[in-house]
Amino acid sequence: MKVNIYYGGRGLIDDPTLYVLEKITKVLDELRVTVERYNLYEDKRAITVLPKTLKDADGIILAASVEWFGIGGFLQQFLDACWLYGDKDKIARTYMLPVVMATTYGEREAEYSLIRAWEMLGGVPGEGLCAYVDNHVEFETNAQFSLMIEKKAENFYRMISKKAVAFPNSSMEVKKTVLRSSNLSLTPQESEQLSEYVSNDNYVKKQKEDIEELASLFKGMLGEGDEADDYITRLQEHFFPMDGLKAVFRLDLIDENSSLVIEINEDQLNCYRGTVEQADVTAKVKTSVFEEVLNGTKSFQSAFMSGDLSAQGNFKILRNFDTIFRFQNK
């Protein structure tokens, strides 16, 4: 069994939707379900080809973060692409779990929008999971909420495994008589580009790795490798171990098009230039801002709060950065 997650939020580290998805993923992993997550904000240009990824999924999770109004543009683009390019026969056999976390009014309306959209596409929606979250820390530490999320994930698994049948709904009749999805006539070259290359995760990943390798090579030829070593040296010099802490940070240095990986295993520190698929905290930062952090003129947390640094992942681990790396203020 395979379940795809399509996350339509902005990847903010305090987004409660990310916490819910992590809990659901953990439950499905324990049930031996293959789970693959697509963060729509990471590759906006590929949203139109994502319906191709539905072909091997038994169920999907549509996850929205309501920050001011509705499900947001990324998830709407994905649903538009499903209507225009998706395989309707495959969608008709695909179950959908809507997950909506709101920091403002409108979680019920957003959940209903996802359910109606999936019904019009011909799919089978399940019982949704939605909530208003005023304080994400209190929400994430509430044991009863955690249990409720786990139960929802288990029910979704049962729905797929038992191939539950839904009652007929009027949306299907409206689709037959009124709604018409356009059939695009694509050239063989366009079809190949859409289906074989752009939607091929392995191909895209390989291209990114080749670009990073070439960037590192040219930086070394231009004598820019010393600066990278300087970052690692300064992190090692100001490292203060924390008992029981195991974490992986990936810092994407935007203007260098490279990443700095920081692996911490209690009193052991490993820093290197490269990439890692799974990190507890992934941050995007300009080198000028990172220099301020290393110089002690700005803390990692204050850079995140001011918007100079964007991050996603485990919020608690992010806050530990300034504890395990202590830089002298100037």
Side-chain angles (χ1 to χ4, degrees):
M1 183 185 298
K2 183 180 181 183
V3 171
N4 289 350
I5 298 175
Y6 301 92
Y7 168 64
R10 293 188 294 141
L12 301 179
I13 200 164
D14 56 349
D15 185 352
T17 309
L18 293 173
Y19 163 75
V20 174
L21 294 181
E22 289 175 3
K23 294 290 294 183
I24 292 176
T25 300
K26 183 177 179 181
V27 172
L28 294 178
D29 284 340
E30 292 174 353
L31 294 170
R32 297 185 178 180
V33 176
T34 301
V35 180
E36 188 165 358
R37 190 166 98 190
Y38 297 89
N39 296 323
L40 304 183
Y41 69 91
E42 288 185 342
D43 197 354
K44 308 175 187 65
R45 297 181 180 179
I47 291 179
T48 55
V49 298
L50 280 181
K52 300 288 184 181
T53 62
L54 294 172
K55 61 184 178 181
D56 59 348
D58 300 292
I60 70 166
I61 296 173
L62 297 180
S65 301
V66 179
E67 298 182 74
W68 79 282
F69 184 78
I71 63 175
F74 296 144
L75 205 50
Q76 185 63 57
Q77 288 180 51
F78 173 70
L79 290 170
D80 288 344
C82 289
W83 177 255
L84 294 171
Y85 312 116
D87 183 344
K88 303 303 189 298
D89 291 334
K90 178 62 182 73
I91 291 176
R93 303 190 302 273
T94 305
Y95 298 89
M96 187 276 291
L97 171 67
V99 173
V100 180
M101 296 292 115
T103 55
T104 185
Y105 175 80
E107 71 279 3
R108 292 291 182 186
E109 288 79 0
E111 178 193 16
Y112 185 52
S113 296
L114 293 177
I115 291 174
R116 285 193 61 193
W118 199 247
E119 285 180 341
M120 286 189 173
L121 286 167
V124 184
E127 184 179 353
L129 193 162
C130 72
Y132 165 72
V133 180
D134 181 45
N135 185 313
H136 74 93
V137 176
E138 292 180 1
F139 179 79
E140 294 175 11
T141 54
N142 189 302
Q144 291 182 322
F145 292 162
S146 177
L147 184 60
M148 291 169 65
I149 295 169
E150 292 175 358
K151 291 296 182 183
K152 288 284 186 181
E154 292 172 359
N155 289 339
F156 186 54
Y157 169 79
R158 295 188 186 98
M159 181 182 184
I160 299 173
S161 60
K162 293 181 179 180
K163 300 187 183 300
V165 178
F167 284 111
N169 62 80
S170 58
S171 297
M172 293 304 299
E173 294 304 315
V174 172
K175 177 183 175 183
K176 291 178 183 177
T177 58
V178 179
L179 298 176
R180 293 288 185 273
S181 59
S182 60
N183 295 320
L184 297 181
S185 298
L186 300 176
T187 66
Q189 292 80 7
E190 290 171 332
S191 298
E192 182 177 318
Q193 182 181 10
L194 285 173
S195 61
E196 183 177 350
Y197 291 112
V198 184
S199 63
N200 188 320
D201 291 338
N202 292 329
Y203 175 82
V204 174
K205 180 182 176 182
K206 183 65 170 61
Q207 295 301 305
K208 289 181 178 179
E209 290 176 352
D210 290 343
I211 291 172
E212 289 178 0
E213 184 178 349
L214 287 171
S216 301
L217 175 63
F218 284 116
K219 284 181 181 179
M221 294 172 63
L222 294 172
E224 297 180 6
D226 293 339
E227 186 177 359
D229 293 339
D230 180 57
Y231 288 161
I232 295 173
T233 301
R234 291 156 76 182
L235 287 168
Q236 291 171 337
E237 291 175 349
H238 296 84
F239 175 59
F240 290 80
M242 179 183 293
D243 291 340
L245 178 64
K246 295 181 180 180
V248 177
F249 292 84
R250 193 188 83 196
L251 307 182
D252 296 333
L253 303 175
I254 301 172
D255 38 357
E256 290 189 4
N257 290 323
S258 65
S259 299
L260 181 62
V261 179
I262 304 171
E263 297 177 343
I264 301 166
N265 187 357
E266 296 188 347
D267 61 344
Q268 297 180 1
L269 174 66
N270 182 27
C271 301
Y272 58 90
R273 283 292 184 122
T275 186
V276 62
E277 290 187 4
Q278 294 184 344
D280 297 295
V281 175
T282 301
K284 297 182 183 295
V285 60
K286 292 183 178 180
T287 52
S288 58
V289 176
F290 189 49
E291 282 285 350
E292 291 185 72
V293 174
L294 295 177
N295 292 334
T297 56
K298 178 178 291 187
S299 68
F300 197 83
Q301 179 71 10
S302 65
F304 168 69
M305 297 300 293
S306 65
D308 292 332
L309 177 152
S310 63
Q312 66 181 65
N314 191 313
F315 184 70
K316 295 178 182 178
I317 292 179
L318 180 145
R319 288 185 295 183
N320 286 328
F321 189 93
D322 295 319
T323 303
I324 54 183
F325 294 106
R326 304 173 194 172
F327 301 98
Q328 182 67 37
N329 290 328
K330 294 183 178 181

